[in-house]
């Protein structure tokens, strides 16, 4: 088993991004870029440490969403989402108590939407033809509406990813904010002008005592809840968002995307995977303690399950 470092993972992703930009400043993929894919370089996500897996979430976010909001989903992303889903949501995980089964269900549905169009990568030209024929046969048997819904799975993910992120943030910030938005402990975040915006459970108005703003939850989490290593990764995620739209703070950008989706003014179906990655990153840091032993237990279970022809409903890994 090769021990890949966070720096190596980050470099591969950065090299892919650099190779994807042509001399005319267009985004193109091909032999220049594919040699930098993580799987192509022997990276198995189930072997990665907590630190390296967290770095992969940031690196592949940069690969996933490029300037112009073009999205490039690869088996690297499917494997990453699949393994993270297995870690966070399998029955051995103690992350979500029974009282939070709605959040867990939302998480499961979001990852299923992200993986809905995943297909096993072909091993040969002959296998490619056989797989194509099998795919056509399966599609012909699918109910009409189920087939069309599958084709729109990334639009579904784009809409699901924002309530998921809000729920994940409220879980992480449970000392300060309840799931219904009630403020439990006083805190402040910067408003758009950089001035303090205060929340207080004893505030005079409901606005003071209630926080359901995704933007403010993001600021609260980063400034008062996230551990130092997570703050570094969040800064890198924000830098990536700024490279896509530098006209506003990255958290304001996420808030704008969320509001545009909520009010139906637009849908940006390419952003769902990136927002999902942010949720996965935050959740992954909730299981940092004891991660290595837990990783081995989950991996052992996946290997035993792979010997069965039946895939359990709660199984996420492998993705196909």
């Amino acid at each position: 088993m090769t021990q890949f470092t966070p720096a190596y993972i980050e470099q591969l992703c950065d090299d892919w991004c650099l190779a994807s930009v042509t001399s005319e400043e267009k985004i193109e993929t091909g032999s220049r870029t594919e040699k930098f894919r993580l799987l192509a370089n022997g990276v198995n996500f189930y072997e990665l440490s907590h630190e390296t897996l967290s770095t992969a979430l940031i690196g592949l976010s940069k690969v996933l969403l490029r300037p112009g909001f073009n999205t490039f989903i690869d088996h690297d992303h499917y494997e990453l989402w699949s393994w993270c889903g297995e870690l966070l949501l399998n029955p051995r995980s103690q992350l979500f108590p029974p009282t939070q089964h709605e959040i867990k269900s939302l998480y499961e549905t979001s990852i299923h939407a992200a993986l809905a169009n995943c297909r096993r990568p072909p091993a040969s030209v002959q296998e490619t033809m056989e797989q194509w024929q099998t795919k056509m046969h399966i599609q012909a048997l699918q109910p009409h509406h189920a087939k069309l819904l599958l084709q729109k799975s990334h639009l579904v993910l784009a809409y699901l990813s924002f309530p998921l992120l809000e729920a994940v943030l409220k879980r992480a910030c449970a000392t300060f904010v309840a799931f219904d938005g009630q403020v439990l402990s006083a805190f402040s975040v910067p408003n758009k002008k950089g001035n303090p915006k205060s929340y207080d459970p004893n505030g005079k108005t409901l606005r003071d005592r209630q926080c359901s703003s995704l933007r403010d939850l993001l600021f609260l989490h980063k400034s008062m809840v996230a551990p130092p290593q997570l703050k570094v990764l969040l800064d890198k995620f924000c830098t990536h968002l700024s490279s896509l739209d530098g006209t506003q703070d990255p958290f304001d950008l996420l808030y704008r995307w969320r509001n545009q989706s909520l009010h139906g003014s637009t849908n940006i179906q390419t952003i769902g995977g990136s927002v999902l990655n942010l949720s996965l990153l935050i959740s992954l840091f909730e299981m940092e303690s004891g991660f290595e032993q837990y990783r081995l237990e989950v991996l052992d279970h996946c290997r035993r399950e792979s010997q069965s022809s039946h895939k359990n409903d709660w199984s996420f890994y492998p993705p196909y």
Side-chain angles (χ1 to χ4, degrees):
M1 178 175 116
T2 304
Q3 294 293 333
F4 294 102
T5 65
Y8 180 75
I9 298 293
E10 186 174 17
Q11 188 63 58
L12 280 176
C13 293
D14 287 345
D15 288 344
W16 189 96
C17 292
L18 287 172
S20 69
V21 181
T22 68
S23 57
E24 294 82 20
E25 296 299 314
K26 296 180 180 179
I27 305 296
E28 292 183 359
T29 62
S31 58
R32 294 188 312 165
T33 57
E34 302 316 283
K35 63 184 178 181
F36 297 118
R37 293 292 190 187
L38 299 189
L39 293 173
N41 283 275
V43 176
N44 294 312
F45 294 100
Y46 56 78
E47 295 178 340
L48 299 184
S49 67
H50 182 275
E51 182 182 9
T52 311
L53 185 61
S54 300
T55 300
L57 280 165
I58 298 299
L60 287 178
S61 292
K62 292 187 285 187
V63 170
L64 176 64
L65 190 59
R66 305 297 298 137
F69 295 97
N70 295 301
T71 188
F72 295 89
I73 300 176
D74 181 74
H75 282 279
D76 280 358
H77 300 100
Y78 290 138
E79 290 273 342
L80 176 69
W81 292 330
S82 173
W83 177 240
C84 287
E86 192 71 37
L87 288 172
L88 297 173
L89 302 169
N90 82 85
R92 286 168 173 74
S93 171
Q94 302 298 314
L95 199 61
F96 297 95
T99 55
Q100 295 179 13
H101 67 275
E102 292 95 345
I103 300 174
K104 185 177 181 182
S105 178
L106 176 59
Y107 227 141
E108 291 169 342
T109 306
S110 297
I111 296 180
H112 285 312
L115 298 173
N117 285 290
C118 178
R119 299 289 184 270
R120 187 187 299 271
S124 65
V125 174
Q126 179 62 30
E127 187 177 2
T128 301
M129 177 57 68
E130 292 174 357
Q131 287 185 335
W132 182 83
Q133 291 174 339
T134 301
K135 178 182 177 181
M136 293 300 103
H137 178 65
I138 292 174
Q139 288 182 347
L141 295 176
Q142 285 178 338
H144 172 72
H145 298 293
K147 180 167 59 178
L148 294 178
L149 180 62
L150 183 63
Q151 293 173 3
K152 297 292 186 179
S153 60
H154 291 293
L155 177 59
V156 173
L157 175 61
Y159 279 97
L160 292 179
S161 62
F162 286 105
L164 173 63
L165 178 58
E166 182 174 332
V168 166
L169 285 166
K170 286 179 177 176
R171 265 181 51 90
C173 300
T175 303
F176 295 93
V177 181
F179 283 113
D180 63 0
Q182 179 183 355
V183 174
L184 305 175
S185 299
F187 65 93
S188 65
V189 298
N191 62 20
K192 290 187 177 182
K193 295 182 179 180
N195 299 318
K197 177 181 179 181
S198 298
Y199 288 96
D200 192 319
N202 301 312
K204 294 182 180 180
T205 67
L206 179 62
R207 189 173 182 178
D208 298 328
R209 303 190 301 268
Q210 198 83 8
C211 176
S212 293
S213 164
L214 179 66
R215 173 197 183 275
D216 292 353
L217 289 169
L218 286 162
F219 274 109
L220 168 64
H221 174 261
K222 185 173 180 293
S223 63
M224 303 194 66
V225 176
Q229 185 184 353
L230 178 52
K231 287 182 180 179
V232 171
L233 294 171
L234 290 172
D235 281 339
K236 291 182 178 181
F237 187 85
C238 287
T239 298
H240 169 56
L241 292 183
S242 294
S243 72
L244 303 173
D245 184 341
T247 63
Q248 56 192 307
D249 184 276
F251 290 163
D252 286 315
L253 178 62
L254 285 168
Y255 182 69
R256 191 188 81 192
W257 288 349
R258 182 261 184 193
N259 279 355
Q260 287 175 334
S261 299
L262 180 66
H263 298 298
S265 60
T266 186
N267 67 74
I268 312 175
Q269 59 182 308
T270 59
I271 63 176
S274 299
V275 180
L276 173 61
N277 280 0
L278 181 55
S279 293
L280 292 171
L281 180 67
I282 295 169
S283 295
L284 200 60
F285 267 83
E286 290 192 49
M287 56 171 52
E288 184 178 12
S289 177
F291 177 83
E292 185 58 23
Q293 180 60 38
Y294 176 65
R295 178 188 72 82
L296 293 173
E297 291 173 2
V298 173
L299 179 57
D300 180 65
H301 173 77
C302 288
R303 285 171 171 163
R304 284 188 278 108
E305 189 183 60
S306 68
Q307 299 174 3
S308 170
S309 58
H310 173 70
K311 193 176 181 71
N312 288 315
D313 291 343
W314 48 261
S315 178
F316 287 93
Y317 193 84
Y320 33 77

